[in-house]
Amino acid sequence: MRSEIDFLKLLDGSRRYTFHSHTEFCDGRAQMEAFAREAVKQGFTHYGFTPHSPIPIFSTCNMKLDNVAVFIGEVGRIKREYGDRVAFFAGMEVDYLGDGWGPSSDYFAGLPLDYMIGSVHFIPDREGTFVDVDGNFESFSRKMTKYFHEDIRYVVETFYSQSIRMVEAGGFDIIGHLDKVGHNASHYQPGIEDEPWYRALADELVDRVIGSGVTVELNTKARKEHGRFFPSERLLGRLAEAHVPIIVNSDAHVPALIDASRDEAFSLLDSMKP
């Protein structure tokens, strides 16, 4: 069962935090120790480690099942060594692959985690093969040809369908980069996010999130390089207007980026306050 952390109450006004980061246990590019030291150095008050969860399909980005206990033990060590300066948390970014695998699965519910992020990175093609649509655009473009027969509408519709089913299934505390498919989709077909059918799909997901009890992350990872946040400003405005709890996460894969673009994100949120 989802622990229902009240992140805004936990933070008590602090903006020196992130609850989304990746280390050597998945596709991060530095040791957890380096991230912890950087969090201390930059004066963070709260910091969460969230490796990409184990999944029952091959992936070079996800942690191995055998390393889960090692990860949890390492977070415990970090808490003991640095916990007097920063509150560290053991989280996990859990991939939703359908009814058989996701944040609500018994396996994840049984782990001693402080919280979970629910995210969609993989969608099934028409033959049922799960394909990662979250990578760089060059990879995405190749997969559009190899797996999806250039059908971008199928990809977008399936991404949002998977995301809605994940929200309905529950079991997680934060929804990760809820409209991220829009990034690659917009490169593939410029202007797609302004098309009525796309907007309707994104709005339906936001409708499901509103009232679900989950916290939404304003993900800053792509801001500096690609000029965008997840969710988009339009969707973020809807969520803010509905008083959905929103936190700012950097989704950093290197220690130097744990605070990247977060000030800009807070400024955007502040501008949406009545």
Side-chain angles (χ1 to χ4, degrees), residues 235-272:
L235 299 178
L236 187 69
R238 286 200 60 211
L239 292 159
E241 184 178 11
H243 305 291
V244 172
I246 300 168
I247 58 174
V248 176
N249 283 337
S250 58
D251 193 1
H253 288 59
V254 295
L257 296 180
I258 64 173
D259 201 28
S261 301
R262 292 177 70 259
D263 285 344
E264 189 177 352
F266 280 117
S267 294
L268 176 59
L269 284 177
D270 287 342
S271 74
M272 292 179 174

Side-chain angles (χ1 to χ4, degrees), residues 146-219:
K146 182 175 181 180
Y147 295 101
F148 300 113
H149 310 291
E150 313 298 343
D151 189 349
I152 189 63
R153 183 155 181 163
Y154 171 84
V155 170
V156 170
E157 288 177 343
T158 306
F159 175 89
Y160 281 111
S161 174
Q162 290 282 98
S163 299
I164 288 169
R165 288 170 62 196
M166 179 179 74
V167 171
E168 290 174 341
F172 60 98
D173 303 278
I174 302 169
I175 185 167
H177 42 64
L178 64 81
D179 64 340
K180 197 172 185 185
V181 72
H183 175 62
N184 278 330
S186 291
H187 281 293
Y188 188 83
Q189 184 176 310
I192 193 172
E193 290 177 278
D194 294 322
E195 295 188 12
W197 66 269
Y198 182 101
R199 290 169 66 99
L201 289 170
D203 282 332
E204 184 179 359
L205 174 57
V206 168
D207 289 341
R208 301 300 180 94
V209 169
I210 293 172
S212 69
V214 302
T215 296
V216 171
E217 72 166 14
L218 174 49
N219 187 301

